[in-house]
């Protein structure tokens, strides 16, 4: 059963249901940037009570989809220019993380990266949205494994807020651009080879190129 079907028949826990409904409303534009996220209104929209909504909003703030100001929450700014900034930040910070990881990563961590690559290869591309959602989970695990391999508490603290923003979903929903799962996983293989070689320059360049290659492109205006 897909997430959409689970939401429809109420199979999900209230906090998860509230999170998914509100997240989808943000990504679809139903809840526009700057919208005040009132608990009472969202409880009615999600078919839950205020407590699950409060939990969901905390998760959305942690992911960067919402912001908190003076104890109120609002939909974050997802203008195309802000999404570009998110990708640029990830490219720089994750590139540096890969540079550190190249000299610190362990054999079990390299094995875990290889396992994740194989799992992505096994995804059923005919699965549509479900396959994409599965990829996003595995992709996050891949990048978090590299971050863990840095052995740097300071870097993890700095980069977590940037990595928590679901940039791939923003790309797909806000800018209406597809996610190239196969191409992305081919790049994962190069990143794995670079890390396994212990070459910091190669690892940094491979991760930067990977993130930049997934960056949304700005469509040229149509001719008059």
């Amino acid at each position: 059963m897909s997430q959409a079907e689970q939401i429809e028949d109420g199979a999900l826990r209230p906090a998860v249901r509230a999170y998914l409904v509100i997240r989808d409303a943000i990504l679809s534009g139903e809840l526009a940037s700057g919208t005040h996220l009132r608990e009472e209104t969202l409880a009615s929209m999600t078919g839950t009570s205020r407590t699950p909504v409060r939990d969901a909003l905390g998760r959305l703030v942690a992911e960067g989809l919402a912001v908190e100001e003076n104890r109120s929450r609002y939909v974050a700014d997802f203008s195309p220019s802000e999404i570009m900034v998110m990708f640029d930040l990830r490219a720089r910070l994750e590139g540096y993380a890969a540079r550190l990881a190249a000299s610190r990563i362990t054999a079990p961590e390299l094995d875990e990266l290889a396992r994740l690559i194989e799992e992505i290869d096994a995804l059923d591309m005919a699965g549509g949205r479900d396959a994409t959602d599965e990829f996003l989970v595995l992709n996050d695990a891949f990048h978090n494994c590299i971050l863990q391999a840095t052995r740097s508490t300071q870097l993890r603290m700095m980069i977590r807020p940037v990595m928590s923003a679901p940039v791939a979903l923003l790309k797909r929903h806000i800018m209406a651009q597809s996610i190239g799962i196969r191409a992305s996983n081919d790049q994962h293989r190069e990143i794995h080879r670079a890390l396994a070689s212990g070459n910091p320059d190669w690892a940094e360049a491979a991760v930067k190129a990977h993130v930049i290659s997934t960056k949304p492109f700005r469509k040229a205006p149509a001719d008059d």
Side-chain angles (χ1 to χ4, degrees):
M1 182 184 292
S2 69
Q3 285 184 345
E5 290 169 331
Q6 287 177 305
I7 292 172
E8 186 66 27
D9 71 6
L12 291 171
R13 290 188 296 108
V16 176
R17 174 188 175 87
Y19 163 75
L20 291 173
V21 171
I22 298 168
R23 187 195 69 170
D24 286 351
I26 291 172
L27 293 172
S28 70
E30 180 183 347
L31 293 173
S33 295
T35 298
H36 187 185
L37 297 170
R38 301 179 185 277
E39 291 180 6
E40 299 89 345
T41 303
L42 295 175
S44 176
M45 184 178 83
T46 61
T48 64
S49 65
R50 291 179 60 178
T51 298
V53 166
R54 193 175 301 120
D55 291 342
L57 290 177
R59 184 174 173 183
L60 291 164
V61 169
E63 291 181 350
L65 288 176
V67 295
E68 187 167 6
E69 298 177 7
N70 299 322
R71 297 169 64 180
S72 294
R73 282 108 169 192
Y74 303 87
V75 177
D77 178 8
F78 297 124
S79 61
S81 61
E82 279 298 294
I83 294 175
M84 296 295 184
V85 169
M86 291 179 188
F87 274 87
D88 286 344
L89 282 173
R90 287 195 68 157
R92 287 163 172 75
L93 292 174
E94 289 197 61
Y96 179 64
R99 167 172 284 277
L100 289 184
S103 62
R104 303 176 183 184
I105 197 165
T106 64
E109 286 168 335
L110 286 168
D111 290 343
E112 174 65 7
L113 292 177
R115 184 190 69 79
L116 290 167
I117 290 170
E118 290 179 0
E119 283 202 41
I120 293 172
D121 274 339
L123 290 176
D124 179 9
M125 292 300 99
R129 174 174 174 171
D130 286 346
T132 301
D133 288 343
E134 289 179 45
F135 165 72
L136 294 176
V137 172
L138 295 170
N139 185 63
D140 283 348
F142 184 91
H143 287 267
N144 278 311
C145 185
I146 296 172
L147 182 58
Q148 184 63 35
T150 66
R151 308 286 181 265
S152 171
T153 302
Q154 290 299 319
L155 181 57
R156 289 200 299 272
M157 289 174 57
M158 180 178 295
I159 201 173
R160 286 288 186 199
V162 177
M163 288 184 65
S164 66
V167 289
L169 289 176
L170 294 173
K171 174 182 176 180
R172 183 176 69 182
H173 289 271
I174 305 298
M175 303 191 77
Q177 294 178 19
S178 62
I179 300 170
I181 295 177
R182 292 303 182 217
S184 181
N185 210 32
D186 286 342
Q187 292 166 354
H188 287 166
R189 287 189 178 84
E190 181 178 359
I191 293 167
H192 181 270
R193 289 194 296 269
L195 291 169
S197 75
N199 186 323
D201 292 332
W202 183 12
E204 181 175 19
V207 168
K208 277 187 172 181
H210 171 56
V211 176
I212 291 171
S213 74
T214 64
K215 183 177 178 179
F217 53 87
R218 302 293 292 271
K219 295 180 180 179
D223 294 334
D224 293 333

